Amino acid sequence: LKQIEIEDIPVSKKIETVDEILAMLDELIGMDVVKKSVRDLCQSIQNNQKRKEMGLAAENPKVHMVLTGNPGTGKTTLARILGKLFNSIGLLSSDKVIECDRSKIVAKYVGHTAQNMQRLCDDATGGILFIDEVYTLATDDFGHEATDTLMKRMEDDRGKFVVVVAGYENKMNEWMSTNEGLASRFTHHIHIDDYNATELYEL
């Protein structure tokens, strides 16, 4: 069972406009609360941009996100859609989504983990850095090194890329507690519920 993936869409149906991207979001089974949250976020960003265009005071939006839910609920698919959406509305200069997990971040030797995280952030500049099962970085010193490096890049390169982290809801607090500033960095939290019987039938 899986949701429709972006790469499943034929080239002739390349997603370009906000309406097309939101229509793709609507095609996902279930996720009613998620769809509303994404629309609200999109509207908030666009309103902020309009205020700037009119010369009114408007802060640059802080958009780093936490996606929670069980495996198979569509977190990765949602991150890819967000990449296209944020690019379409002008929040990001690219629709790329750099996907990684602990295996691509943590190295065998002290110092190398920080280098891996720096490289991933560099690769994600202009787009989204998506870290799946991010709570696994809470288990040891290597994970803490990765988290500290990520925190510094989120501060130093504010507005240059968006970080989206994902994992089980009950384990995310373990990771958040490893650094005092983490919770304040992630301004948007979206939980994806498991599918009910009707939705599973549709899938």
Side-chain angles (χ1 to χ4, degrees), residues 95-142:
D95 65 358
K96 65 182 175 182
V97 178
I98 303 301
E99 301 174 21
C100 65
D101 56 18
R102 180 184 170 90
S103 67
K104 293 183 179 180
I105 299 171
V106 172
K108 294 181 179 180
Y109 306 104
V110 175
H112 290 195
T113 293
Q115 292 176 9
N116 286 346
M117 181 60 82
Q118 294 281 13
R119 175 179 51 78
L120 287 165
C121 290
D122 289 341
D123 292 344
T125 298
I128 286 178
L129 176 62
F130 175 69
I131 308 176
D132 198 14
E133 297 182 340
V134 70
Y135 53 83
T136 59
L137 298 180
T139 58
D140 55 27
D141 289 342
F142 290 109

Side-chain angles (χ1 to χ4, degrees), residues 34-64:
V34 174
K35 293 169 184 176
K36 183 180 184 305
S37 296
V38 170
R39 276 185 160 78
D40 289 345
L41 174 58
C42 179
Q43 188 63 57
S44 176
I45 294 171
Q46 289 177 311
N47 288 343
N48 191 72
Q49 291 170 331
K50 289 177 182 177
R51 288 182 61 85
K52 285 185 175 180
E53 292 171 2
M54 297 171 63
L56 301 174
E59 294 184 357
N60 291 326
K62 299 177 182 178
V63 183
H64 296 297

Side-chain angles (χ1 to χ4, degrees), residues 17-86:
T17 69
V18 173
D19 287 341
E20 287 174 326
I21 297 167
L22 291 176
M24 181 182 177
L25 179 65
D26 287 337
E27 290 180 9
L28 299 179
I29 302 299
M31 298 179 129
D32 291 341
V33 174
V34 174
K35 293 169 184 176
K36 183 180 184 305
S37 296
V38 170
R39 276 185 160 78
D40 289 345
L41 174 58
C42 179
Q43 188 63 57
S44 176
I45 294 171
Q46 289 177 311
N47 288 343
N48 191 72
Q49 291 170 331
K50 289 177 182 177
R51 288 182 61 85
K52 285 185 175 180
E53 292 171 2
M54 297 171 63
L56 301 174
E59 294 184 357
N60 291 326
K62 299 177 182 178
V63 183
H64 296 297
M65 306 181 68
V66 176
L67 305 181
T68 56
N70 290 322
T73 50
K75 296 186 294 295
T76 302
T77 298
L78 179 58
R80 293 170 182 167
I81 291 175
L82 288 171
K84 290 192 171 292
L85 183 62
F86 290 162

